[in-house]
Structures are given as C-alpha cells and as structure tokens.
Amino acid sequence: MKNITLWLRFILVAFICLTIAVSCQSNKQSQQPILTSLGPPETVTGAKPIEPIPNSSKFNLEKVALGNQLYQETQLSGDNTISCASCHALDKGGTDRRVYSVGINGEVGFINAPTILNSSLHFKQFWDGRAESLEEQIDGPINSKHEMGSSWSEIIQKLQKSPEYVAQFKTVYDDGLTSDNIKNAIATYERSLNTPDSKFDRFLEGDTNALTENENKGYQRLKDYGCVSCHQGILLGGNMFQKFGVFGDYFQDRGNITKADYGRFNVTEKQEDRFVFKVPSLRNIEFTSPYFHDGSAESLDKAVKVMIKYQLGREIPQDDIDSIIEFLTTLTGKIEEVSS
C-alpha cells in the first residue's frame, strides 16, 4: 500500500509539472505574432481575401465627362468658391491634405476629408458610414454650412442659366437637369476614379517579383501583427467598422474630445458605437496625409505607431515599422482610364 501511495504521488507531481510546462509554452506562443503564409491570393482567417483592383470597369463616357465638369464646378457652393475638387483633389491623392477642410466663407470643418479615390469600392461613405451610396454622400457637403453651404434649388437655378449645361443634361438624361441627375453624373465620374495596377496588385496577380525583399517583409509583418484583421479586402480597409482604441483610450490620451470623435454613435446613438469608425483604406496612403479622422498623424511613421499601440496593444521594433511603411508605398495605383 505504501508503494502504491508513493507511486500515486509521483504521478500527481508529474502531471502538475506537465500542466505548468504546457501553460508556459502556450503563453509564450500567444505573445508571438500570428504568422500567415506568404503568396497570392491572400486571405486571413476571419478576414476577407485581399484582391487586386480590377481594370475592367466600363462607364458611360458622356456621364463621366459631365460628372468631371460638375466635380470641378464652384457654382455648386453657396458663394461660388468651393467645388468637390477643393477638398478631394486628384493631385493630392483625392484629398486636400489638410487636418480639416475649409469651406465657404473660410468655415473650417470638423473631420479629415477622406480620399475620393476608389470610393465606390467602400461599403459605406463617410467616416461614420452614414451614407449608403456616392449619390447619397453628395447631399452632405452640398447642404453643410461648413462646406459648400448651398441647396439643390439654388444650384439648379444657377446651372439653368448656362445653355451648355442645359444642352449637356438633355443629351445625357431624358429628364434633363435635375438634382438626381447632377448627383448621378458626379457619382459616375467618382466611380471611374479607381486606381488599379499598383505593385501590390501585380503581386496579387501572380508576379512574385513585383515586391522587393523589404516590401515583402513589410507585407508579412502587416499580417504577422494582425493589421489585416481590419485592413482587409480589395481596399485593405473600407469594408467594416472598428473602434478607435481597442487596447487603450486614444481619445482620453489625446484630449479635447469633440462630437466628431463619437463616430458611428452620431448615426446610431448606440453606446457600443461610440468612437467607432469605418476602417480607412490603405490604398494610395502615401499621398493622403494627415491620417485618421482627426488628421492627428502627419506621417505614416506616426500613424503606424498609433495603430500598433491603440489597436494592437503592443510595441514593435522600428525596423518592422519601416518595412511596413515601405510595403504601404506599393499600394499606390494609377487612376484608371475609363472606356465606353
């Protein structure tokens, strides 16, 4: 009996030691980056596959031309000084590169202007996702006193004085010059502003030499650290909402909280949507500074560090940050030439 008791004690001690060893190993592994395989096409468990931006879009060229003209038209604003292009300039990555845009009468806005490039591929429009379509989105700046400060009745009265506009609308639309047709023309033009043929697109299409060794490393690190759980899909973003500050109180640390900081809450009034925003696309990101809805990050280096801290709850080596930034530059595409 004594020998049996000693044997049972030995088994119990061995089991406890084995349990501790397994637990330590598990904790050690959980602290390491989650590694995913490299090579196109890309997908991450729980995330949508990353796909190249297609080149095959076709548009009505007359609508695109009219929409382009209206996109540049300052008569859409109350004092005839501001156009869509004022805040979304193509030579500035589809933005104005300001912290907050400036509207009529020098009115300063409350949130950073997102890029218009590839906007048709987003699942919703605006940082808080309050618009379901590009047509619906146009109503926002048109009627905002801090932006274009106008109304559709005022705009139509102005444009009807132009024989050229009246003739163009009659050619393109059966019912001529209406607010719905103005919005449709502008939205059609905006839908033509996709940016395919980036280095990363060519990589996804099978060109394994499209990325340099360090760009490849940066892409791997983007996956290793879990960035692709939110920056996923064709735009590496733009297809989901996420709270800003998952592993830390970004807004408390930054201070001076404004209504714009409440994000999706301003639309739904649900407490769980406070500080929740549409995840921005990483496409063409090297040209769309400053970053975040509040324009608080003037460089990609700072933006990546803020994301690592508040969204992932960790610190990473500067070498990895530099590699990620180098990869991000491969997401710059070309504005697509539309065809009829």
Side-chain angles (χ1 to χ4, degrees):
M1 176 64 72
K2 183 177 180 180
N3 290 337
I4 293 175
T5 301
L6 290 174
W7 179 243
L8 289 174
R9 287 180 179 178
F10 173 78
I11 292 174
L12 179 61
V13 171
F15 176 77
I16 292 173
C17 291
L18 179 61
T19 300
I20 293 173
V22 170
S23 176
C24 290
Q25 180 64 20
S26 176
N27 289 336
K28 180 180 179 180
Q29 290 176 348
S30 68
Q31 294 170 2
Q32 300 300 315
I34 301 174
L35 298 177
T36 57
S37 61
L38 181 64
E42 288 299 337
T43 184
V44 178
T45 302
K48 294 185 178 180
I50 300 176
E51 300 174 348
I53 293 178
N55 289 280
S56 59
S57 299
K58 293 182 180 291
F59 301 91
N60 180 314
L61 291 185
E62 290 181 324
K63 282 188 181 182
V64 171
L66 178 56
N68 184 9
Q69 187 174 343
L70 292 165
Y71 189 82
Q72 314 289 334
E73 182 57 76
T74 57
Q75 289 188 89
L76 297 188
S77 65
D79 64 358
N80 301 321
T81 63
I82 301 295
S83 70
C84 303
S86 298
C87 300
H88 303 282
L90 301 192
D91 62 352
K92 296 179 180 178
T95 71
D96 56 9
R97 293 186 186 161
R98 296 174 180 266
V99 173
Y100 303 129
S101 297
V102 178
I104 64 171
N105 304 317
E107 291 280 347
V108 180
F110 306 104
I111 203 162
N112 184 255
T115 178
I116 195 65
L117 301 179
N118 303 308
S119 57
S120 66
L121 302 176
H122 286 251
F123 83 127
K124 294 181 185 294
Q125 304 299 321
F126 293 118
W127 282 98
D128 58 14
R130 66 184 181 273
E132 297 291 334
S133 68
L134 287 172
E135 284 87 351
E136 185 181 345
Q137 180 274 332
I138 293 168
D139 282 319
I142 288 292
N143 293 289
S144 171
K145 66 179 182 179
H146 299 284
E147 297 180 60
M148 303 180 84
S150 188
S151 68
W152 288 115
S153 60
E154 180 181 347
I155 290 169
I156 290 173
Q157 286 178 9
K158 291 179 184 178
L159 299 186
Q160 281 179 336
K161 295 177 181 179
S162 166
E164 292 80 9
Y165 269 127
V166 171
Q168 283 178 284
F169 273 94
K170 283 185 177 180
T171 299
V172 178
Y173 296 97
D174 292 339
D175 52 349
L177 203 168
T178 69
S179 60
D180 284 344
N181 291 342
I182 293 172
K183 289 189 283 187
N184 178 258
I186 294 173
T188 300
Y189 169 67
E190 292 173 340
R191 290 186 179 102
S192 76
L193 299 177
N194 291 343
T195 60
D197 200 31
S198 68
K199 291 179 67 175
F200 185 58
D201 285 327
R202 295 196 294 274
F203 170 78
L204 291 174
E205 290 165 350
D207 182 358
T208 56
N209 296 318
L211 304 186
T212 67
E213 181 179 351
N214 206 43
E215 289 166 350
N216 243 326
K217 175 186 174 184
Y219 180 39
Q220 185 64 46
R221 292 296 176 266
L222 196 80
K223 295 186 295 179
D224 292 346
Y225 292 119
C227 307
V228 289
S229 62
C230 293
H231 292 287
Q232 52 172 275
I234 192 169
L235 296 181
L236 286 85
N239 64 358
M240 64 180 292
F241 294 113
Q242 180 58 277
K243 182 178 180 180
F244 194 170
V246 176
F247 287 96
D249 196 333
Y250 169 81
F251 294 98
Q252 183 66 38
D253 292 346
R254 190 205 65 189
N256 190 30
I257 298 175
T258 68
K259 182 180 179 181
D261 292 326
Y262 293 149
R264 186 72 177 154
F265 171 81
N266 293 326
V267 179
T268 67
E269 297 185 347
K270 296 179 179 179
Q271 287 301 317
E272 61 265 30
D273 286 335
R274 194 179 293 269
F275 309 126
V276 170
F277 298 87
K278 181 179 68 174
V279 176
S281 166
L282 298 182
R283 295 282 186 173
N284 307 296
I285 195 170
E286 65 175 318
F287 296 119
T288 60
S289 62
Y291 305 105
F292 308 140
H293 75 285
D294 59 3
S296 60
E298 69 283 355
S299 68
L300 280 174
D301 182 80
K302 181 176 180 181
V304 172
K305 288 176 179 175
V306 169
M307 288 289 97
I308 292 293
K309 177 179 180 180
Y310 290 99
Q311 301 307 107
L312 301 179
R314 63 188 307 166
E315 295 182 3
I316 69 173
Q318 184 64 44
D319 179 65
D320 283 352
I321 292 174
D322 293 340
S323 295
I324 289 173
I325 292 172
E326 191 163 343
F327 163 70
L328 293 177
T329 65
T330 72
L331 300 176
T332 300
K334 302 173 183 177
I335 295 180
E336 187 174 15
E337 292 292 333
V338 300
S339 58
S340 58

